[in-house]
């Protein structure tokens, strides 16, 4: 890559190592449009001018076993290796919903809960599992949050209906402040119909894009429950929640 601070090179030795293990497929073409990588290479060059990079795109269909194998291989690299995960979190939803979903995301990250990484609303669920597994293998003790915000907050415009949220932080060998939360979403009958991607009468294909975005409302939540006309009592762990439809 050419950056304002000079050219940054790929580490061909590491790329050959990963390819030799059958863990990656080398293809330059996707990187011309992958903003998650080309948006950060200039900052890497500025802060770490002698660094060489190993850009990796983790596809959504990558299995947990493949992710874990890649994390193990990366963990064998020299101790001065730094992994940067460029991931967008909540997508296409209002700021208040993004904040709600980020509670789940932060809890999974700060508790190294890579087994439930696929419940987080994020643009690369396998990518999140990769960084969590890698951090664990490198004996990281905690995730230190620096900032949690979204595009509506950055623009200071709460009327923006479709936002993208960001969780910024780093793993280290120092323990971090604990953050353990569970989220529960109660919906009425309309909500339960909305949760079905193929329920729109206007969709020729299921799911269509309009309803796919709405489906994200139900992603990134630990528990979803439908509220009927009667009052109900729910047991969530050691917590009892009483809900009345009225």
């Amino acid at each position: 890559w050419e950056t304002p601070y000079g050219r940054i090179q790929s580490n061909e030795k590491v790329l050959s190592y990963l390819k030799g293990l059958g863990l990656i497929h080398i293809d330059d073409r996707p990187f011309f449009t992958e903003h998650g990588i080309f948006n950060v290479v200039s900052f890497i060059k500025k802060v770490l001018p002698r660094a060489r990079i190993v850009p990796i795109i983790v596809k959504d269909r990558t299995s947990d076993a493949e992710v874990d194998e890649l994390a193990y291989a990366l963990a064998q690299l020299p101790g001065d290796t730094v992994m940067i995960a460029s991931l967008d979190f909540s997508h296409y939803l209002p700021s208040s919903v993004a904040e709600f979903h980020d509670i789940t995301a932060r809890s999974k990250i700060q508790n190294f809960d890579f087994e439930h990484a696929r419940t987080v609303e994020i643009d690369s669920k396998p990518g999140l599992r990769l960084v969590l597994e890698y951090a664990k293998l490198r004996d990281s003790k905690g995730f230190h949050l620096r900032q949690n915000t979204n595009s509506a907050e950055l623009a200071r415009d709460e009327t923006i209906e479709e936002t993208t949220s960001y969780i910024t932080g780093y793993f280290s060998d120092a323990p971090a402040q604990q953050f353990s939360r569970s989220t529960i979403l109660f919906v009425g009958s309309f909500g339960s119909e909305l949760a079905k991607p193929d329920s729109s009468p206007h969709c020729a294909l299921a799911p269509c894009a309009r309803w796919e975005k709405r489906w994200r409302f139900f992603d990134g939540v630990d528990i979803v429950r439908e509220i009927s006309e009667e009052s109900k009592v729910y047991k969530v762990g050691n917590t009892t929640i009483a809900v009345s439809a009225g």
Side-chain angles (χ1 to χ4, degrees), residues 159-176:
T159 65
I160 297 176
E161 293 185 355
E162 295 188 356
T163 67
T164 299
S165 70
Y166 314 99
I167 295 177
T168 306
Y170 62 93
F171 292 92
S172 79
D173 57 4

Side-chain angles (χ1 to χ4, degrees), residues 24-80:
I24 64 170
H25 169 70
I26 297 179
D27 185 354
D28 292 337
R29 292 171 297 177
F31 293 95
F32 288 104
T33 57
E34 179 46 65
H35 64 277
I37 292 178
F38 68 67
N39 278 351
V40 300
V41 292
S42 294
F43 298 102
I44 297 174
K45 182 64 178 179
K46 179 177 174 60
V47 177
L48 301 169
R50 294 185 297 173
R52 293 193 175 191
I53 63 173
V54 180
I56 300 175
I57 297 174
V58 184
K59 295 184 177 181
D60 282 337
R61 63 174 179 268
T62 307
S63 70
D64 289 349
E66 291 171 323
V67 168
D68 294 348
E69 190 175 359
L70 176 58
Y72 180 81
L74 293 173
Q76 309 311 306
L77 297 177
D80 60 352

Side-chain angles (χ1 to χ4, degrees), residues 47 83 125 132 153 162 195 206 212 216:
V47 177
M83 176 183 284
K125 298 175 190 289
L132 291 175
E153 291 182 351
E162 295 188 356
E212 185 177 8
R216 299 182 76 99

